[in-house]
């Protein structure tokens, strides 16, 4: 391969003139790919390297597009991009992107990077996003469906991130059912569940949490007592949700890494961001 390398640095002319993060990423795409070839993938067949280059190019294009949609740019983003912690994350993200050509994978990686760029002064969130990226390449599509289903039912308030509207009990059931229906039903084998058990995304406990308890824990105002739950059971979507909350999921609790990956998977599928404001402290 005779790929032309275009070097980039914080002092490059393009960065000084434009101060635009997309420009930096576009210029630096070839640079980071060449660095990965030399360190991580030396000696691989040309055919393999060509596929990896194609994967990486698709990822960079998608990332730039997603940055533009979210209007993430400017000198302050460029400065954060060149920080040591982000550069370690950046190299790791690019390495994972080289190894797969699925847009859903690339979209989740890009979302993690974007969330990191949106948290320049929050070291805890930065560390959690780093942990999420480290676990991402270990998981199957079904693992992501598990994380997202558990997140929707146990940790994510069913309301838009852009509104403070509080829903009543029937609206919660309705909206929760709509959200869960967008995730592929969980059909995890025993070996998949065992693999997930040894990731840093979940904790398997001796408990078995019923769906009604999830509602009480997540929405204590709307489901304050047993009578509220009995009323909820009359909703036509209650049995659907109870069915999705099957036995394999009942002992699972998400770690912070599992929460961010579940949220990224949902956003990658639907284009909608979940309300995870309390994802660290909850």
């Amino acid at each position: 391969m005779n790929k032309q390398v275009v070097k980039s640095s914080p002092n490059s002319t393009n960065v000084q003139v434009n101060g635009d993060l997309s420009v930096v990423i576009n210029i630096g795409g070839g640079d980071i790919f060449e660095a990965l070839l030399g360190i991580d993938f030396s000696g691989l067949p040309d055919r393999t390297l060509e596929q990896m280059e194609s994967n990486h190019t698709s990822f960079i294009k998608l990332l730039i597009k997603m940055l533009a949609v979210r209007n993430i740019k400017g000198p302050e983003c460029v400065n954060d991009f060149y920080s040591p912690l982000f550069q370690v994350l950046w190299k790791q993200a690019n390495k994972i992107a080289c190894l797969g050509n699925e847009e859903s994978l690339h979209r989740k990686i890009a979302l993690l990077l974007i969330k990191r760029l949106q948290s320049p002064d929050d070291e805890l969130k930065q560390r959690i996003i780093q942990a999420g990226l480290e676990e991402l390449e270990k998981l199957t599509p079904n693992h992501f469906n598990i994380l997202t289903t558990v997140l929707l039912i146990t940790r994510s308030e069913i309301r838009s991130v852009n509104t403070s509207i509080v829903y009543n009990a029937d609206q919660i059931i309705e909206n929760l059912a709509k959200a869960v229906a967008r995730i592929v039903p969980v059909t995890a084998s025993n070996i998949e569940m065992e693999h997930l058990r040894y990731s840093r995304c979940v904790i398997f406990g001796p408990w078995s949490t019923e769906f009604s308890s999830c509602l009480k824990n997540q929405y204590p105002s709307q489901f304050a007592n047993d009578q509220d739950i009995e009323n909820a059971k009359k909703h036509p979507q209650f049995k659907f949700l109870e069915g999705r909350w099957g036995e394999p999921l009942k002992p699972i609790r998400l770690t912070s890494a599992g929460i961010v990956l579940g949220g990224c998977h949902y956003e990658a599928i639907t284009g909608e961001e979940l309300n995870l404001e309390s994802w660290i402290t909850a």
Side-chain angles (χ1 to χ4, degrees):
M1 298 180 67
N2 296 312
K3 184 179 175 75
Q4 180 69 34
V5 181
V6 182
K7 299 293 183 181
S8 66
S9 72
N11 299 316
S12 70
T13 302
N14 284 284
V15 177
Q16 290 178 21
V17 172
N18 295 288
D20 193 317
L21 183 60
S22 294
V23 173
V24 176
I25 290 175
N26 196 34
I27 294 172
D31 196 3
I32 188 68
F33 184 75
E34 292 290 332
L36 290 171
L37 289 183
I39 298 173
D40 300 312
F41 306 121
S42 58
L44 292 178
D46 283 350
R47 180 177 175 180
T48 303
L49 295 177
E50 287 170 3
Q51 180 61 61
M52 290 167 57
E53 183 178 6
S54 175
N55 295 344
H56 186 256
T57 299
S58 297
F59 166 68
I60 293 295
K61 288 180 178 178
L62 178 63
L63 175 59
I64 290 174
K65 181 180 178 180
M66 291 172 68
L67 287 168
V69 168
R70 290 161 173 77
N71 198 32
I72 299 175
K73 59 183 180 179
E76 67 283 354
C77 293
V78 172
N79 290 335
D80 191 34
F81 177 82
Y82 282 107
S83 67
L85 282 176
F86 188 88
Q87 282 295 303
V88 171
L89 189 73
W90 174 240
K91 179 184 174 183
Q92 187 177 8
N94 280 269
K95 179 179 177 179
I96 298 171
C98 287
L99 301 179
N101 61 2
E102 303 90 353
E103 182 178 337
S104 61
L105 171 67
H106 290 172
R107 191 170 292 277
K108 283 191 277 286
I109 298 169
L111 284 168
L112 285 171
L113 292 174
I114 288 169
K115 290 180 186 299
R116 166 59 184 81
L117 287 167
Q118 292 173 325
S119 308
D121 302 317
D122 193 328
E123 186 175 351
L124 180 56
K125 279 191 177 180
Q126 292 175 16
R127 300 290 183 181
I128 290 171
I129 291 167
Q130 175 80 38
L133 187 65
E134 290 171 357
E135 297 303 311
L136 182 146
E137 61 180 323
K138 305 174 186 177
L139 303 179
T140 68
N142 207 30
H143 287 143
F144 284 108
N145 293 329
I146 292 170
L147 295 180
T148 306
T149 302
V150 175
L151 173 64
L152 286 169
I153 292 177
T154 67
R155 296 298 291 267
S156 176
E157 291 183 70
I158 301 303
R159 62 186 174 111
S160 167
V161 294
N162 298 317
T163 181
S164 59
I165 295 174
V166 178
Y167 295 126
N168 63 35
D170 282 347
Q171 290 172 322
I172 288 171
I173 296 292
E174 188 71 30
N175 291 333
L176 183 57
K178 288 179 181 178
V180 171
R182 302 173 83 172
I183 308 302
V184 176
V186 173
T187 55
S189 63
N190 289 336
I191 192 167
E192 275 189 299
M193 296 304 288
E194 283 301 310
H195 181 73
L196 184 61
R197 183 187 295 272
Y198 294 109
S199 76
R200 292 190 296 165
C201 297
V202 300
I203 298 171
F204 280 78
W207 53 79
S208 180
T209 308
E210 298 299 324
F211 175 62
S212 57
S213 296
C214 295
L215 290 177
K216 287 183 177 180
N217 292 336
Q218 190 64 13
Y219 306 99
S221 297
Q222 295 88 341
F223 303 97
N225 52 54
D226 291 342
Q227 185 58 52
D228 290 336
I229 295 297
E230 290 303 313
N231 292 337
K233 288 180 179 180
K234 298 175 185 178
H235 194 289
Q237 295 292 350
F238 188 91
K239 285 189 176 181
F240 163 76
L241 289 167
E242 211 171 27
R244 284 295 187 92
W245 186 247
E247 288 299 327
L249 305 186
K250 290 181 180 180
I252 294 178
R253 289 182 184 172
L254 299 182
T255 65
S256 53
I259 291 172
V260 72
L261 288 179
C264 283
H265 183 57
Y266 185 83
E267 189 171 349
I269 291 173
T270 67
E272 298 175 5
E273 187 178 2
L274 291 174
N275 176 27
L276 300 177
E277 286 302 311
S278 60
W279 62 304
I280 290 177
T281 58

